[in-house]
């Protein structure tokens, strides 16, 4: 089931560089989410989007920027990467028709900031 | 503030042993509860969910969870684990908003 895809799968970058992680879903889900997964913290919500051109901050938004010009895409940009942003990033979506229905997750992007 | 706590960070069991993973939540108002599983190298998948009704919820692969409102708990159970259950398990909760709050996860290792 490749309904939600993330790219790249792995990324190594340097401190201060801009990095964009891509997320694409084929279900026309209205809601999309970005989480980061870190040891001891579980998954923490970075940003989410209820529809195209509607985005909102999650628990840990600092240092990240998102956009949602099209329903199917929800890129996450690190404007100036820091070592603390080394993490595994997961994109997720749901259709929003049923409140709090389950999320569908992508396979993740493992980002290392040197 | 909304929070989800998983107190077991790493659990090691032998095959056929019984499993119980703890999850406690702190939420105001109506809460929806989930357990997600992440097998090695894979993305998160929903195991089971509780919205309302019967507090004992059955999920996939023989897992179940019990919602105990008085204890703010939603513990995950399985009577007999298999080696293939080795994974990381995340408890999650959401209220009226659509944001899910995840616990820190429990790594389960099942020894053959």
């Amino acid at each position: 089931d490749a309904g939600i895809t993330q790219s790249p799968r792995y990324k190594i970058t340097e401190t201060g560089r801009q990095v964009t992680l891509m997320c694409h879903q084929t279900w026309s889900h209205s809601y999309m989410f970005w989480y980061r997964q870190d040891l001891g913290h579980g998954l923490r919500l970075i940003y989410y989007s209820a529809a195209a051109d509607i985005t909102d901050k999650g628990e840990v938004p600092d240092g990240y920027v998102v956009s949602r010009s099209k329903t199917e895409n929800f890129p996450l940009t690190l404007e100036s990467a820091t070592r603390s942003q080394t993490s595994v990033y997961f994109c997720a979506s749901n259709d929003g028709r049923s409140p709090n229905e389950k999320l569908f997750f992508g396979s993740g992007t493992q980002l290392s900031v040197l | 503030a909304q929070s989800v706590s998983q107190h077991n960070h790493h659990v090691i069991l032998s095959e056929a042993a019984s499993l119980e993973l703890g999850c406690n939540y702190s939420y105001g108002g109506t809460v929806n509860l989930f357990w997600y599983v992440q097998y090695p190298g894979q993305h998160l998948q929903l195991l089971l969910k509780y919205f309302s009704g019967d507090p004992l919820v059955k999920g996939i692969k023989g897992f179940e969870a019990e919602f105990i409102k008085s204890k703010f708990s939603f513990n995950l159970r399985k009577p007999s684990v298999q080696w293939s259950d080795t994974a990381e398990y995340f408890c999650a909760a959401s209220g009226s908003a659509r944001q899910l709050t995840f616990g820190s996860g429990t790594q389960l290792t099942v020894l053959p």
Side-chain angles (χ1 to χ4, degrees), chain B:
Chain B
Q2 301 162 346
S3 66
V4 176
S5 300
Q6 293 179 246
H7 303 293
N8 310 110
H9 297 296
H10 194 181
V11 173
I12 302 174
L13 295 173
S14 298
E15 276 194 314
S18 63
L19 170 71
E20 181 162 3
L21 301 182
C23 173
N24 290 94
Y25 65 90
S26 174
Y27 258 76
T30 302
V31 65
N32 302 302
L33 297 159
F34 306 79
W35 275 98
Y36 281 84
V37 60
Q38 184 177 25
Y39 297 102
Q42 297 187 26
H43 57 82
L44 280 86
Q45 304 169 44
L46 182 69
L47 262 183
L48 48 79
K49 59 188 177 185
Y50 171 80
F51 288 171
S52 63
D54 189 343
L56 185 62
V57 180
K58 295 193 183 298
I60 61 172
K61 304 186 180 186
F63 286 91
E64 65 179 29
E66 185 174 13
F67 170 58
I68 303 180
K69 189 175 182 179
S70 61
K71 294 184 178 180
F72 300 94
S73 70
F74 190 57
N75 292 353
L76 181 71
R77 300 195 294 244
K78 186 171 184 179
S80 176
V81 295
Q82 301 172 319
W83 178 77
S84 58
D85 294 324
T86 294
E88 189 155 19
Y89 293 81
F90 293 92
C91 183
S94 65
S96 55
R98 296 186 186 280
Q99 299 182 41
L100 268 180
T101 300
F102 284 85
S104 56
T106 298
Q107 175 64 46
L108 172 65
T109 300
V110 180
L111 304 175

Side-chain angles (χ1 to χ4, degrees), chain A residues 54-110:
Chain A
I54 300 175
T55 62
D56 210 344
K57 296 178 180 179
E59 182 185 354
V60 288
D62 293 344
Y64 302 94
V65 174
V66 293
S67 61
R68 187 102 181 267
S69 58
K70 294 183 178 181
T71 300
E72 60 267 29
N73 296 323
F74 190 41
L76 176 74
T77 298
L78 288 68
E79 294 188 300
S80 178
T82 65
R83 289 182 180 169
S84 65
Q85 292 177 309
T86 292
S87 185
V88 180
Y89 292 84
F90 286 96
C91 180
S93 71
N94 73 13
D95 62 12
R97 282 179 287 181
S98 300
N100 306 303
E101 191 47 81
K102 72 173 184 177
L103 294 181
F104 294 85
F105 284 86
S107 299
T109 294
Q110 189 167 319

Side-chain angles (χ1 to χ4, degrees), chain A:
Chain A
D1 188 334
I4 182 165
T5 55
Q6 291 183 236
S7 61
R9 184 74 178 88
Y10 302 95
K11 177 72 178 178
I12 300 174
T13 191
E14 295 176 337
T15 301
R17 290 191 180 267
Q18 183 179 83
V19 177
T20 296
L21 310 183
M22 305 302 293
C23 179
H24 175 80
Q25 51 104 354
T26 59
W27 292 309
S28 299
H29 283 171
S30 55
Y31 279 81
M32 296 187 75
F33 307 81
W34 273 107
Y35 287 89
R36 59 178 289 175
Q37 182 181 15
D38 304 288
L39 278 174
H41 291 282
L43 283 86
R44 291 179 291 176
L45 182 65
I46 305 171
Y47 269 95
Y48 68 103
S49 169
D53 297 322
I54 300 175
T55 62
D56 210 344
K57 296 178 180 179
E59 182 185 354
V60 288
D62 293 344
Y64 302 94
V65 174
V66 293
S67 61
R68 187 102 181 267
S69 58
K70 294 183 178 181
T71 300
E72 60 267 29
N73 296 323
F74 190 41
L76 176 74
T77 298
L78 288 68
E79 294 188 300
S80 178
T82 65
R83 289 182 180 169
S84 65
Q85 292 177 309
T86 292
S87 185
V88 180
Y89 292 84
F90 286 96
C91 180
S93 71
N94 73 13
D95 62 12
R97 282 179 287 181
S98 300
N100 306 303
E101 191 47 81
K102 72 173 184 177
L103 294 181
F104 294 85
F105 284 86
S107 299
T109 294
Q110 189 167 319
L111 175 68
S112 297
V113 182
L114 305 179

